């Protein structure tokens, strides 16, 4: 029977899953030296966060097929080394969603009914009934920021409280929103309308400081703000000022800019409930994580395919060699698309042509989806889960081939549909470099790299000069410029390479100018 090492303490239900399929060695105190010495006996290993599965361990693991993390983060596993050695790495990202959603509901109730502060008062010997007038949740508006795994569980629970739900998540489609029975809105409207606002987005450059002074100032006087996602999404200094000035405003926080929280002025306020990053800590979440990964290990040692894989090689090496130059191209196309389109796309069509035809292009499609989805999601999207993540998010994917790749060895054309619009980009490899050769069916020819911008404008005398003048005013130097147009005086598109990042102010000024319609900066 294959041997599986359980190297950290996991819930026994996980071990039970493996009974009959594997000889399980339960050694939750194994030392790094013992692990290095014995790992070659095992086909599977299950860890939590204590055991470090390093490159050295992986290099000694001659029989290992799968490394399973009974939880979410895989910082303790060298995923790259595992991929190089053809070892699968799996985790259980869905195991904590309900647990975290319940914690958010707990903070919500604690604040709406002043439970934590009333508890402290009673325990200090007081009986201050009139001080703790609460607010019912029924018929109140819940604003959910981020409608992923956790956000949707919060929505489900809030409906039992008869709350109305509005959602801000630019990356979900209208169709998904309809299925979930929620109304999509803008961040600005959500902030002003919500009685309770709850955050469930990943911490990304885009979400850092998402809720700062301006947003806090727009919140209703007696609103509740919750963060069980990541510290830094709310600006803590701004939050402190807002809560101090407006005692009816309330906040419930599980996560902080710096953890553990030390000497925070937030801890001096009555209108705040703080918990020490415990939103995901329940026995059930740990049990579910153990069961989920044990099932994955069982699947793999029986020759099957697991679900939550974080790595996996996909095609034979000859195909891989043919596709290799195009990986960077698809990645760049995905990155351009996510930065230039409205992100709640419904359809994504990829047309391949030229020398890559007649072979599996799975890895390229997945590379493109990875680049498109990774900036907006918490869990890493990888070549294995990319398609299923796209499907879960309501994106209809089609892939096709055409003969004609023009003068190039091969080309890749990607179109996305969102609302009533369509955006198309086509790229090729020329002199071993990825290039964009058309955008929205206007011909251009520019290397895909560094800081770029795509500008849609009306082809009228002076417009190109205006663009140059405005960028110059903001000290943004144009390195290269290409224009494509429908007809004289018609719609036109400009692709620029710039030496400095195009600032928000520069974009605002450009877009405020007659004849310049849309300015999208791209950072590759
Ligand atoms: P998820 O990837 O399933 O969902 C994230 C959602 O955020 C997606 O729907 C995405 O479209 C949306 N999003 C991304 N960028 C956005 C933006 N700029 N504006 C609005 N929406 C945006 O993630 P999840 O599993 O639901 O986790 C949500 C958060 O909870 C993450 O930050 C995660 O790290 C955190 N988390 C915290 C704990 C804890 O112990 N407190 C435990 C687990 C997860």
């Amino acid at each position: 029977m294959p041997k599986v090492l359980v190297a950290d303490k996991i819930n026994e239900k996980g071990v039970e899953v493996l009974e009959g399929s594997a000889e399980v060695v339960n050694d939750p105190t194994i030392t790094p030296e013992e692990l290095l010495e014995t790992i070659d006996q095992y086909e599977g290993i299950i860890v939590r966060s204590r055991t470090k599965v390093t490159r050295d361990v992986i290099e000694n693991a001659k029989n290992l097929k799968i490394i399973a993390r009974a939880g979410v983060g895989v910082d303790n596993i060298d995923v790259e080394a595992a991929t190089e050695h053809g070892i699968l790495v799996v985790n259980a990202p869905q195991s904590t969603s309900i647990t975290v959603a319940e914690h958010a509901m707990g903070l919500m109730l604690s604040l709406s009914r002043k439970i934590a502060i009333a508890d402290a008062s009673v325990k200090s010997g007081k009986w201050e009934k009139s001080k703790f007038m609460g607010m019912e949740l029924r018929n109140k508006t819940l604003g959910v920021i981020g409608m992923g795994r956790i956000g949707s569980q919060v929505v489900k629970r809030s409906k039992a409280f008869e709350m109305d739900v509005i959602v801000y998540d630019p990356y979900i489609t209208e169709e998904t929103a309809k299925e979930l029975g929620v109304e999509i809105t803008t961040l600005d409207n959500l902030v002003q309308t919500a009685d309770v606002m709850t955050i469930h987005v990943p911490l990304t450059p885009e979400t850092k400081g998402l809720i700062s002074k301006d947003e806090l100032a727009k919140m209703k006087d007696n609103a509740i703000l919750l963060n069980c996602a990541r510290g830094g999404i709310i600006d803590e200094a701004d939050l402190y000022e807002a809560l101090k000035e407006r005692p009816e405003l309330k906040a419930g926080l599980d996560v902080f800019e710096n953890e553990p929280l030390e000497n925070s002025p937030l801890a001096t306020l009555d209108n705040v409930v703080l918990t020490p990053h415990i939103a995901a800590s329940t026995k059930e979440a740990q049990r579910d994580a153990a069961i989920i990964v044990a099932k994955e290990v069982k699947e793999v040692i029986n020759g099957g395919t697991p679900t939550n894989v974080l790595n996996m090689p996909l095609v034979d090496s000859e195909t891989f060699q043919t596709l290799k130059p195009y990986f960077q191209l698809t990645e760049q196309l995905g990155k351009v698309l996510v930065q230039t389109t409205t992100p709640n796309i419904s359809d994504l069509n990829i047309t391949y042509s030229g020398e890559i035809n007649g072979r599996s292009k799975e890895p390229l499609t997945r590379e493109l989806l990875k680049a498109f989805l990774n900036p907006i999601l918490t869990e890493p999207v990888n070549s294995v889960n990319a398609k299923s993540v796209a499907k879960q998010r309501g994106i209809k994917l089609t892939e096709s081939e055409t003969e004609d790749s023009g003068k190039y060895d091969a080309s890749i054309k990607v179109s996305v549909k969102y609302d009533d619009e369509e955006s198309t980009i086509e790229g090729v490899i020329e002199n071993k470099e990825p290039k964009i050769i058309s955008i929205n069916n206007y011909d251009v020819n520019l290397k895909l790299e560094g800081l770029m911008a795509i500008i849609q404008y009306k082809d009228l005398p002076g417009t190109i000069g205006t663009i140059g003048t405005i960028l110059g005013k903001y000290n943004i130097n144009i390195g290269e410029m290409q224009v494509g147009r429908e007809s004289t005086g018609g719609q036109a598109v400009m692709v620029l390479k710039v030496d400095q990042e195009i600032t928000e102010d520069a974009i605002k000024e450009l877009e405020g100018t007659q004849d310049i319609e849309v300015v999208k900066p791209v950072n590759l």
Side-chain angles (χ1 to χ4, degrees):
M1 232 198 262
K3 280 176 88 174
V4 173
L5 173 66
V6 178
D8 288 333
K9 192 166 166 25
I10 67 160
N11 188 285
E12 70 274 12
K13 294 275 176 214
V15 179
E16 281 170 25
V17 169
L18 287 163
E19 275 166 14
S21 306
E23 182 191 330
V24 181
V25 176
N26 219 334
D27 191 354
T29 55
I30 191 166
T31 64
E33 295 74 31
E34 288 165 349
L35 181 66
L36 201 61
E37 233 168 74
T38 57
I39 190 70
D40 62 342
Q41 306 169 19
Y42 299 103
E43 288 192 22
I45 177 171
I46 300 180
V47 298
R48 286 184 62 210
S49 49
R50 186 195 71 98
T51 299
K52 313 274 176 265
V53 189
T54 60
R55 180 173 283 275
D56 283 352
V57 170
I58 288 166
E59 280 169 0
N60 271 12
K62 303 285 173 252
N63 296 303
L64 202 61
K65 291 184 176 150
I66 179 166
I67 302 166
R69 159 77 165 101
V72 184
V74 287
D75 302 346
N76 53 325
I77 300 169
D78 191 330
V79 180
E80 208 179 304
T83 308
E84 282 169 27
H85 289 78
I87 300 167
L88 297 165
V89 179
V90 299
N91 68 347
Q94 65 279 52
S95 58
T96 57
S97 307
I98 290 170
T99 282
V100 176
E102 285 188 2
H103 196 78
M105 297 307 291
L107 291 177
M108 200 186 300
L109 286 164
S110 182
L111 286 156
S112 67
R113 305 306 306 273
K114 305 188 175 161
I115 293 172
I117 181 86
D119 170 72
S121 159
V122 175
K123 284 179 179 162
S124 72
K126 295 181 196 145
W127 194 259
E128 305 174 291
K129 267 175 91 84
S130 59
K131 194 172 160 191
F132 302 121
M133 184 61 70
M135 171 184 94
E136 262 190 10
L137 294 178
R138 180 179 51 148
N139 295 337
K140 296 296 184 300
T141 299
L142 172 68
V144 180
I145 302 179
M147 191 65 176
R149 279 184 295 254
I150 298 170
S152 38
Q153 292 297 342
V154 173
V155 169
K156 203 166 159 188
R157 278 145 187 82
S158 67
K159 295 214 160 157
F161 282 84
E162 299 178 59
M163 299 182 85
D164 300 320
V165 183
I166 54 174
V167 168
Y168 169 65
D169 186 332
Y171 304 108
I172 65 166
T173 60
E174 282 292 337
E175 217 170 71
T176 311
K178 228 181 258 166
E179 270 167 30
L180 295 164
V182 295
E183 186 196 320
I184 299 283
T185 187
T186 58
L187 180 62
D188 200 48
N189 184 52
L190 184 143
V191 165
Q192 297 183 52
T193 321
D195 298 294
V196 182
M197 213 160 103
T198 185
I199 299 175
H200 302 287
V201 293
L203 177 64
T204 63
E206 203 189 345
T207 62
K208 189 166 188 314
L210 190 70
I211 305 299
S212 301
K213 200 172 172 189
D214 288 353
E215 290 73 27
L216 291 160
K218 287 180 194 159
M219 286 178 71
K220 284 185 175 173
D221 270 338
N222 56 354
I224 295 174
L225 172 63
L226 306 174
N227 188 6
C228 290
R230 280 290 174 264
I233 300 170
I234 301 176
D235 184 303
E236 262 168 41
D238 290 353
L239 178 65
Y240 171 72
E241 289 303 324
L243 291 165
K244 201 175 72 171
E245 273 163 34
R246 298 165 59 194
E248 280 310 305
L249 192 69
K250 300 169 211 57
L253 309 173
D254 183 54
V255 286
F256 305 91
E257 283 168 6
N258 294 306
E259 296 181 7
L261 191 66
E262 274 169 16
N263 305 321
S264 168
L266 286 167
T268 63
L269 300 174
D270 280 351
N271 46 344
V272 186
V273 174
L274 308 174
T275 53
H277 204 144
I278 52 165
S281 308
T282 60
K283 285 198 172 127
E284 290 79 2
Q286 284 184 4
R287 178 204 58 204
D288 290 351
I291 294 172
I292 290 167
V293 296
K295 283 185 178 161
E296 300 275 48
V297 172
K298 185 173 167 178
E299 187 71 26
V300 170
I301 58 182
N302 285 331
T305 312
T307 318
N308 299 312
V309 194
L310 296 167
N311 62 343
M312 190 195 255
L314 274 156
V315 285
D316 64 77
S317 63
E318 197 200 322
T319 301
F320 187 80
Q321 287 311 319
T322 314
L323 300 183
K324 210 170 161 191
Y326 298 93
F327 274 96
Q328 198 193 355
L329 175 63
T330 39
E331 187 195 354
Q332 306 282 53
L333 294 176
K335 282 188 181 169
V336 174
L337 278 174
V338 71
Q339 293 176 65
T340 56
T341 61
T342 307
N344 57 337
I345 63 163
S346 55
D347 295 68
L348 193 150
N349 306 310
I350 311 174
T351 311
Y352 294 100
S353 66
E355 68 171 6
I356 47 180
N357 280 357
R359 296 180 177 276
S360 165
K361 285 171 287 298
E362 272 304 300
L364 296 182
T365 299
R366 287 165 189 256
E367 191 69 22
L368 186 123
L369 291 171
K370 231 168 80 179
F372 186 77
L373 294 167
N374 251 328
I376 62 160
L377 295 176
T378 311
E379 288 316 314
V381 179
N382 56 49
S383 20
V384 173
N385 63 9
K387 273 196 166 172
S388 60
V389 173
K391 195 169 163 204
Q392 277 161 21
R393 302 190 64 78
I395 299 173
K396 215 183 311 139
L397 173 74
T398 46
E399 295 155 90
S400 54
E401 288 184 355
T402 64
E403 289 289 311
D404 185 19
S405 58
K407 60 176 181 166
Y408 304 100
D409 291 339
S411 84
I412 299 171
K413 189 170 183 173
V414 191
S415 308
V416 294
K417 275 194 196 147
Y418 47 96
D419 306 328
D420 288 330
E421 295 196 46
E422 185 164 357
S423 202
T424 304
I425 180 167
E426 185 172 5
V428 296
I429 296 290
E430 197 175 43
N431 301 328
K432 298 195 174 146
E433 282 168 345
K435 279 193 148 184
I436 171 174
I437 57 161
S438 94
I439 179 120
N440 294 343
N441 298 318
Y442 300 116
D443 293 340
V444 289
N445 192 315
L446 220 63
K447 208 161 124 186
L448 279 163
E449 64 172 7
L451 297 171
M452 303 181 78
I454 295 175
I455 302 178
Q456 282 174 40
Y457 65 103
K458 282 222 174 67
D459 178 42
L460 294 172
T463 316
I464 294 181
T466 308
I467 294 172
T469 309
I470 294 175
L471 290 176
K473 188 176 141 192
Y474 288 91
N475 278 328
I476 300 162
N477 190 42
I478 301 176
E480 223 176 311
M481 176 196 289
Q482 288 265 323
V483 293
R485 62 184 180 176
E486 224 169 35
S487 57
T488 314
Q491 286 295 324
V493 71
M494 175 186 291
V495 186
L496 290 179
K497 273 178 69 187
V498 284
D499 296 335
Q500 291 80 20
E501 210 158 305
I502 303 192
T503 56
E504 296 260 337
D505 287 347
I507 297 173
K508 247 189 222 153
E509 186 163 344
L510 285 165
E511 288 184 340
T513 310
Q514 212 187 352
D515 305 326
I516 300 176
E517 286 156 6
V518 189
V519 179
K520 296 280 186 188
V522 175
N523 189 347
L524 295 176

